[in-house]
Amino acid sequence: MKEKIHDILCRIWQDIARRNDRLFRGDADFSEWMSQEEAGFSKGKGNQYQPSTDALVKVLKKFPISESDSILDMGCGKGKAMYLMSRFPFGKICGYDLSEELVHIANQNFQKLRLQRCHAVQADAETYGDYDEFNYFYIFNAFPQEVFEIMMSRVLESLKRRPRDCYFIYLHPVCHEYMVNCTPFRLICKRKSVVSWFDYYCYEYVHKNQKQVSPSAQSTP
């Protein structure tokens, strides 16, 4: 019974979100969920597609974003988060996803909305290595922990290769313990939700202990 209620509520949520896409987002296709099978990969490689929440805008407002900053969405899906990122003056907004179908939809969405700074590419998180030009990273629980750890090892390789300060924004942070215990990133703020699935945790990496302007470390409702 709980599963049926959950499925009904999820369907209602998607219907409302699709209506918002049609009315306010140029008929872009951000809101329809897509399973791993539909997206063309196995559960061991990634999680199902769900769009990021609009609360990402409130999270990003905490950061000192300028045209000199670039952000990468890891497991970008249909590009909802990148669309929200485009409201900020990032010089570059990129994303990658394992699913060729999701990447195609994302780039179609960007064309419909004339988001010229946004671009998605098809790539595997276990082999992708083009992190050097980014100082902001974003993810919405896109990978199981095994893949997440490989992805993070490549981010850390990039930070050694090209030292720089950076931020990591994580929606539904199931790998939080790994982040704080096994990487040099430190938690700097949280945005909690009634449903833990929609919690945002934000981390920073400071090169050579340089002082960095950080968002408030206190949680927000």
Side-chain angles (χ1 to χ4, degrees):
M1 178 62 71
K2 288 183 178 180
E3 290 184 3
K4 288 184 178 180
I5 294 174
H6 175 268
D7 290 343
I8 291 171
L9 291 175
C10 288
R11 178 54 56 185
I12 291 173
W13 185 88
Q14 287 183 74
D15 288 342
I16 294 172
R18 282 199 301 271
R19 188 176 299 113
N20 285 338
D21 286 348
R22 288 194 296 270
L23 294 176
F24 305 113
R25 293 167 178 159
D27 199 28
D29 175 17
F30 289 127
S31 301
E32 185 74 35
W33 296 8
M34 188 177 286
S35 69
Q36 294 95 327
E37 182 179 4
E38 292 170 328
F41 57 85
S42 68
K43 292 183 179 180
K45 297 289 287 186
N47 299 325
Q48 72 172 0
Y49 167 73
Q50 292 180 233
S52 296
T53 67
D54 288 0
L56 176 58
V57 172
K58 294 182 179 180
V59 173
L60 288 172
K61 285 181 178 179
K62 295 176 175 288
F63 293 89
I65 299 167
S66 71
E67 292 181 358
S68 64
D69 296 311
S70 297
I71 189 166
L72 178 67
D73 184 348
M74 299 170 290
C76 65
K78 296 182 179 181
K80 168 73 179 297
M82 295 169 66
Y83 157 72
L84 297 173
M85 295 168 190
S86 71
R87 301 183 185 182
F88 296 83
F90 288 107
K92 188 172 186 179
I93 303 171
C94 295
Y96 70 78
D97 199 281
L98 181 60
S99 170
E100 186 174 345
E101 175 66 16
L102 286 172
V103 167
H104 175 69
I105 293 171
N107 286 322
Q108 279 190 325
N109 287 335
F110 303 149
Q111 289 177 3
K112 287 181 179 180
L113 297 169
R114 299 180 181 179
L115 302 178
Q116 296 181 355
R117 284 180 296 152
C118 297
H119 181 66
V121 299
Q122 192 277 328
D124 187 332
E126 294 185 274
T127 57
Y128 184 86
D130 295 334
Y131 294 102
D132 288 10
E133 59 191 300
F134 301 99
N135 64 323
Y136 279 77
F137 300 100
Y138 173 80
I139 191 170
F140 178 11
N141 188 32
F143 316 122
Q145 180 149 343
E146 294 79 4
V147 177
F148 184 92
E149 291 181 11
I150 294 171
M151 178 273 294
M152 282 303 303
S153 71
R154 294 188 175 276
V155 172
L156 297 178
E157 287 171 2
S158 171
L159 294 176
K160 289 181 180 179
R161 185 169 55 244
R162 180 177 171 266
R164 62 201 184 274
D165 299 339
C166 65
Y167 294 110
F168 191 103
I169 301 167
Y170 194 174
L171 172 56
H172 191 37
V174 297
C175 297
H176 167 69
E177 294 301 322
Y178 173 80
M179 284 292 293
V180 295
N181 293 325
C182 301
T183 81
F185 282 87
R186 71 181 185 92
L187 181 69
I188 53 173
C189 66
K190 303 177 183 178
R191 180 179 176 82
K192 303 290 286 184
S193 174
V194 175
V195 180
S196 62
W197 192 269
F198 302 134
D199 289 347
Y200 284 88
Y201 281 23
C202 303
Y203 310 81
E204 73 173 346
Y205 171 85
V206 180
H207 171 54
K208 292 184 178 179
N209 296 320
Q210 295 176 9
K211 186 176 181 180
Q212 179 135 329
V213 178
S214 304
S216 170
Q218 296 184 354
S219 299
T220 55

